[in-house]
Amino acid sequence: MRSLFPVTDLTTTAAAPDPSGLLTDREWSLDELADAYAYPTDIPAGSPWLRANMVSTLDGAAQHDGRSQPISCAADMRIFGTLRALADVVIAGAETVRLEGYRPALARVAFAARRAAAGQGPAPAIAVVSGSLDLDFALPLFTEPLVPTLVVTGSGAPADRIAAARKAGAEVVIAGEGTRVDPARAVRELADRGLRRQLTEGGPRLLGQFVAAGALDELCLTLSPMLTAGDAQRIAGGPGVAVPERFALASLLEEDGFLFGRYRR
């Protein structure tokens, strides 16, 4: 892996001298990746920072056969694991949880000291966004997490499903009226519980809602050197915004033709 644009200076190219050695074409350590993807230090106290992590093919597909794994790679999965290890909470839509077979986040020895120094527990919580709570609460995601899984729903969610979630040990977070979840309110409600370093892994519908609500602060996007055609979803779906919002490129990494961009508001 090599850095095309060092994190600290977007005007420097790969051909420029780099005393740190980060431009070397080699596999980065997990510590180096964690430093490169560290949450910003200029976030106001108590405020959340929501980043998204998504992968897309050259022709804009976020999935192949309904899953992101076929368009991913080993380096993408290392970044995926690093982003999870840095987060307080991982937010995912119910459909993504079902399709991707979500399990509880693991405690990873490589990040234990870093998380302890940041005042974090051994692993991030998983927060599942679902208006209907049509979820299987017998799955390990709910029965075997290191920290309780959260379900984010609306005040009008079926009472029996709320009771089932709580019985399974999940924490229910109300973040909307009726069965609709307000994405901006969901971000605030999680932050109020001390979960400020937030990571969403989609799917596209949920990411689209965060974008439309103006709640997304950062996008970590893997551009896969693949073409799929077909009618797969883009990384963000749903209603469009009135005026496109421009993000700034914070860093760009490359390995084996895959580009790993980090963009922030």
Side-chain angles (χ1 to χ4, degrees), residues 7 14 55 68-69 104 141 148 156 161 163 166 170 221 248:
V7 175
V55 58
S68 60
Q69 189 276 333
L141 177 61
R161 300 307 296 161
R166 287 175 172 154
L221 177 64

Side-chain angles (χ1 to χ4, degrees), residues 48-87:
W49 185 269
L50 175 63
R51 66 169 31 149
N53 182 33
M54 301 293 284
V55 58
S56 171
T57 62
L58 296 176
D59 52 349
Q63 304 160 338
H64 183 66
D65 287 339
R67 300 179 64 241
S68 60
Q69 189 276 333
I71 61 173
S72 181
C73 66
D76 183 43
M77 295 311 298
R78 281 168 59 82
I79 292 173
F80 172 91
T82 299
L83 293 178
R84 278 195 162 204
L86 296 173

Side-chain angles (χ1 to χ4, degrees), residues 176-192:
E177 305 302 322
T179 57
R180 178 182 176 276
V181 174
D182 180 331
R185 181 175 167 184
V187 169
R188 293 194 304 269
E189 291 286 347
L190 292 172
D192 288 345

Side-chain angles (χ1 to χ4, degrees), residues 115-142:
R115 289 187 66 85
Q120 296 173 300
I126 303 292
V128 184
V129 178
S130 175
S132 67
L133 296 185
D134 180 17
L135 299 162
D136 184 354
F137 294 116
L139 292 176
L141 177 61
F142 300 101

